[in-house]
Amino acid sequence: MSKYNSPVFPILPSFYENEVLDLESVSKYTSFLEENRVKRIMTTAGTSQFNLLNNDEIRDFNICVAKSFSGFKILTLPVLSKYHILKEVEFYNSLNLENTCLMFIFPDRFYSINQVYTYFKEIADKSIYPIYTHNNPIKKSKGGYYEYSQELIDLLATIPAYKGFKEENSSVDYLQVTSSTLVMVESLPDRNGKRHFFYSKRSFFALG
């Protein structure tokens, strides 16, 4: 059984009354989880609190989580242009964090499956860490929204550094969309009662 065999706990930002990020509380909470045998945590864009943070605050938040928890962690990066997200990858590479993966939100526009694949392939080639994707619906160039497909997942699964994804979509039917090389990992509900799902290569997670 893998030492990382546990639910994935989402870590929410904490704030002081003046709305300044409270990193001390974040550190205490992640340490508390580790002391109570939690093995996997993540920072997540699936919360309104995360979306209130600017890029510098997201860096501080992710670094605080990474340094106060020795187990496996997934750190979510903000939505940025490809140029700037690659610069963020360089920054996180310079930290040389242990037991860490990076999670990247889908680009803000969909033009083609190959465009999304190339976007994450370039990120994976730059990163020293394994990567995940947050598969949120994205606006199509001609209107409407694109939600991830079996074809895209199978293509992303060919990237060696790609380990899986967090799903987000408008239909429960999408829970059936998975590559034969991936398995689904479900976290505990967040504070709003929503469960988050991850799809990961079998070689990465051992499920009990």
Side-chain angles (χ1 to χ4, degrees):
M1 182 177 294
S2 168
K3 67 178 179 178
Y4 300 131
N5 187 28
S6 80
V8 180
F9 284 75
I11 306 299
L12 305 179
S14 298
F15 297 90
Y16 294 107
E17 290 185 3
N18 62 0
E19 300 182 359
V20 173
L21 190 61
D22 181 1
L23 295 177
E24 182 179 359
S25 292
V26 171
S27 179
K28 287 180 179 179
Y29 177 59
T30 54
S31 297
F32 167 80
L33 291 177
E34 184 159 23
E35 289 167 3
N36 286 274
R37 300 193 296 177
V38 168
K39 302 299 183 183
R40 294 199 302 248
I41 63 174
M42 66 171 182
T43 61
T44 172
T47 66
S48 57
Q49 294 95 327
F50 186 92
N51 296 328
L52 293 174
L53 303 177
N54 62 37
N55 189 38
D56 288 338
E57 289 172 326
I58 290 174
R59 280 186 176 187
D60 292 342
F61 176 55
N62 279 338
I63 292 170
C64 174
V65 168
K67 291 188 173 181
S68 57
F69 189 86
S70 65
F72 173 75
K73 47 259 178 187
I74 302 172
L75 306 179
T76 297
L77 275 65
V79 178
L80 298 169
S81 68
K82 185 166 68 174
Y83 172 82
H84 287 100
I85 202 68
L86 291 175
K87 288 294 184 184
E88 281 300 288
V89 171
E90 289 180 0
F91 170 77
Y92 282 89
N93 284 351
S94 71
L95 301 176
N96 198 28
L97 301 169
E98 295 183 353
N99 297 328
T100 298
C101 291
L102 300 181
M103 181 181 291
F104 298 89
I105 302 168
F106 269 24
D108 62 355
R109 288 291 185 276
F110 175 82
Y111 298 97
S112 70
I113 287 176
N114 189 63
Q115 164 243 339
V116 178
Y117 164 77
T118 301
Y119 176 81
F120 289 119
K121 178 66 165 59
E122 290 187 36
I123 288 173
D125 288 345
K126 174 77 71 171
S127 175
I128 66 172
Y129 308 100
I131 73 167
Y132 281 74
T133 57
H134 181 158
N135 295 10
N136 53 293
I138 50 178
K139 291 182 179 179
K140 294 181 179 179
S141 58
K142 296 182 180 180
Y145 284 84
Y146 170 79
E147 297 185 297
Y148 66 87
S149 64
Q150 180 74 61
E151 182 182 358
L152 175 60
I153 297 307
D154 288 341
L155 196 56
L156 291 174
T158 67
I159 301 173
Y162 184 71
K163 297 302 181 183
F165 64 88
K166 173 184 172 185
E167 67 84 27
E168 179 182 334
N169 55 74
S170 60
S171 171
V172 71
D173 294 338
Y174 268 77
L175 298 183
Q176 305 302 318
V177 179
T178 122
S179 165
S180 61
T181 63
L182 303 174
V183 292
M184 186 175 73
V185 181
E186 183 179 359
S187 77
L188 292 179
D190 63 21
R191 67 188 300 174
N192 297 315
K194 180 178 179 180
R195 289 183 178 271
H196 302 285
F197 296 88
F198 289 82
Y199 294 77
S200 292
K201 291 182 180 178
R202 287 189 176 93
S203 61
F204 189 75
F205 282 126
L207 302 179

